[in-house]
Amino acid sequence: MKYQLRFVEYRYDSVSGKYTSAWSVNEDGSVTVRFEVPFGCHATAVLPSVAETEKKNLQEEIKLEPGVHEFRYRTKRDYRKAYTMDSRLEEMQNDPRALEILERKMPLALAKIQGKDAEDLNLSLNELQYMFFLGFHPDMVQSAAEELLQLDVIYK
């Protein structure tokens, strides 16, 4: 499946002018952000998981002067992928692709999802691999994770 770019834009009309924030995940996995700050104002932007950028001084939190600012950077996490080891069972409960993998590789996790218990749904893949007392073990979780972590996000 070819990756579809995701674009999100938010505008806020303040008494001082319009603030704009636009975010997109690019086909190569990088993120592009664009901000507009009205004349005479300032803003603080928090960039998620900054890993690498052409501007070596780009930080996760940046102060913005008035004007238009655009940054393209690599993230520590691949936002094209649906899941990480920190993903919770709750995040997978409405994804038929994930449920099929869990049914094959980790039926105990599927049973936890179907039970709809809030505490169980809050369990992450990372946590499950250490829950021997519930019947999970690292090899089981890693086997399922190998497939789950390859699933792309599907935007509707």
Side-chain angles (χ1 to χ4, degrees):
M1 179 174 113
K2 186 167 171 77
Y3 181 73
Q4 298 173 349
L5 300 180
R6 180 173 189 186
F7 180 78
V8 177
E9 184 174 65
Y10 179 76
R11 295 172 190 208
Y12 174 69
D13 289 317
S14 75
V15 293
S16 301
K18 179 173 60 175
Y19 288 84
T20 303
S21 170
W23 303 73
S24 65
V25 177
N26 305 305
E27 195 163 341
D28 68 356
S30 64
V31 172
T32 299
V33 294
R34 185 175 188 276
F35 304 104
E36 292 181 41
V37 179
F39 178 76
C41 299
H42 295 85
T44 301
V46 178
L47 306 177
S49 62
V50 172
E52 179 185 316
T53 180
E54 290 177 15
K55 285 183 76 174
K56 299 297 180 201
N57 62 346
L58 188 62
Q59 303 294 316
E60 286 191 8
E61 185 174 299
I62 53 176
K63 305 289 184 201
L64 301 172
E65 299 294 321
V68 177
H69 309 273
E70 187 167 304
F71 307 99
R72 181 179 179 131
Y73 66 98
R74 290 256 171 232
T75 58
K76 295 174 188 167
R77 174 182 173 207
D78 187 347
Y79 286 101
R80 297 171 297 174
K81 299 299 178 192
Y83 305 109
T84 69
M85 288 300 289
D86 292 323
S87 294
R88 294 170 292 124
L89 293 178
E90 177 181 44
E91 298 170 49
M92 300 174 206
Q93 69 182 340
N94 296 317
D95 184 343
R97 304 167 307 159
L99 295 175
E100 186 274 325
I101 293 167
L102 292 175
E103 183 175 26
R104 281 188 294 107
K105 302 274 188 168
M106 230 174 16
L108 293 171
L110 181 62
K112 297 250 175 245
I113 290 173
Q114 292 169 336
K116 301 215 183 285
D117 177 75
E119 190 172 328
D120 288 343
L121 290 172
N122 200 41
L123 294 171
S124 71
L125 293 173
N126 263 332
E127 293 169 322
L128 288 175
Q129 63 185 334
Y130 301 108
M131 297 192 149
F132 299 100
F133 55 92
L134 293 177
F136 296 98
H137 56 83
D139 292 340
M140 172 195 296
V141 177
Q142 285 301 318
S143 177
E146 284 176 14
E147 291 185 45
L148 289 167
L149 274 51
Q150 296 306 310
L151 295 177
D152 287 335
V153 173
I154 297 177
Y155 298 107
K156 298 177 182 179

